[in-house]
Amino acid sequence: MKLFARLTLLVWVLLLFSPLSEAARLPRKSKKDQLITISTAQGDIRLILFDQTPLHKANFLKLAQSGFYNGTTFHRIIPNFMIQGGDANSKDADPTNDGAGLPDEKRIPAEIRPELTHKYGAVAAARTGDMINPQRASSASQFYIVENHNGTPHLNGAYTVFGQVISGLEVVDKIAQQPVAERNRPITDIRMTVKVEKLKKKKITELYGYQYQ
C-alpha cells in the first residue's frame, strides 16, 4: 500500500513539472482585442495595438478611452513619409505650439522590437531626439502613422512601433495630401475623435482581413 502511495505521488510530481503541465499554467491568449477607430473629416482609420508593446498599448488605450484624443489634430503631415498627431496642444487656438507637448510630460519607456517594423500603415510613438533622449523613450501621447507605401525602414530600431492600420490606409493617404503651411502643419485643422471597441479577434479578421500571429 505504501509503495502504491509513493508511486502515485511520483506520478503527480512528474505531471506537475512536465512540459504539458507548464503549458497549462501559462496565461491563455485572449480571444478578443481592442479595435481603435480614428475618425476624421477625410474618413475613418482603424488599427490594432500590439501585445508585444504592453506599455504603449495600455497608455494609448487609457488616453483613447478617457477621451483625451478627441479634438486633437494631425498637426504634422509629410507626403510619402508619415502623418503625426495626438498632441494636447493641438486642441487650443494657437497653432505655433502644436507638437511641443505639455510641460513636464511623462515619457513611455522604449519598447523597440526588431519584428515590429515601419511598414506602410505602422503606428509608432513620436519622441524627442537622441541628443536629449538617448533612451529613446516615447512621447506620452503623440504618435505617427507611416504613409510611405514602401515603409520607412530607416526608422527601424529608433522608434517604438506599437500598432498597425488594418483599414483606412486610403484615408491616411488623403490626409497626407492636405495643403500645409510652416512646419508641415496642415492649413486646415484635421481633427480626430477616437473610439475603442472590444471585438473577437475572429470578427476583426473577418471584417478587415488582419491575421493574428
Side-chain angles (χ1 to χ4, degrees):
M1 193 68 179
K2 288 183 179 180
L3 178 60
F4 177 77
R6 288 176 182 174
L7 288 173
T8 302
L9 178 61
L10 179 60
V11 169
W12 276 109
V13 169
L14 290 173
L15 285 173
L16 181 64
F17 291 99
S18 70
L20 180 61
S21 177
E22 183 66 24
R25 293 198 302 271
L26 292 174
R28 292 183 179 180
K29 286 188 176 182
S30 174
K31 293 184 178 180
K32 293 186 176 182
D33 197 6
Q34 288 88 358
L35 176 71
I36 315 296
T37 301
I38 300 176
S39 297
T40 71
Q42 288 71 32
D44 292 343
I45 302 167
R46 291 183 174 86
L47 55 98
I48 55 93
L49 307 176
F50 297 137
D51 290 334
Q52 300 99 307
T53 53
L55 299 178
H56 286 71
K57 181 172 184 174
N59 180 70
F60 192 97
L61 288 174
K62 179 181 178 181
L63 294 176
Q65 290 168 333
S66 72
F68 171 89
Y69 284 119
N70 296 338
T72 62
T73 73
F74 283 102
H75 63 268
R76 183 174 176 236
I77 58 177
I78 303 176
N80 298 314
F81 183 34
M82 61 90 212
I83 62 174
Q84 180 176 332
D87 182 16
N89 292 328
S90 65
K91 293 182 180 182
D92 64 29
D94 180 8
T96 64
N97 65 8
D98 292 0
L102 298 175
D104 301 320
E105 193 174 55
K106 69 171 184 175
R107 294 176 179 173
I108 310 300
E111 294 180 297
I112 298 169
R113 299 181 63 96
E115 73 273 21
L116 304 178
T117 60
H118 284 77
K119 62 183 181 180
Y120 180 35
V123 182
R127 66 174 179 84
T128 52
D130 288 0
M131 291 293 290
I132 59 174
N133 178 25
Q135 295 83 16
R136 295 178 170 175
S138 302
S139 162
S141 65
Q142 294 187 55
F143 63 95
Y144 60 91
I145 301 174
V146 175
E147 192 267 333
N148 190 306
H149 290 210
N150 295 317
T152 55
H154 63 283
L155 297 180
N156 291 342
Y159 295 79
T160 297
V161 174
F162 66 95
Q164 178 66 38
V165 172
I166 61 173
S167 175
L169 285 170
E170 72 283 357
V171 178
V172 176
D173 290 342
K174 191 181 295 185
I175 291 173
Q177 297 303 320
Q178 299 303 302
V180 298
E182 294 180 3
R183 298 183 299 117
N184 304 113
R185 188 187 186 280
I187 294 172
T188 302
D189 287 347
I190 303 173
R191 297 200 178 276
M192 70 179 83
T193 57
V194 180
K195 180 177 69 174
V196 180
E197 302 172 85
K198 197 163 190 178
L199 298 176
K200 290 183 177 179
K201 291 179 178 178
K202 183 179 179 180
K203 186 67 174 178
I204 292 175
T205 298
E206 289 176 356
L207 290 173
Y208 306 109
Y210 180 76
Q211 298 294 327
Y212 285 90
Q213 301 301 316

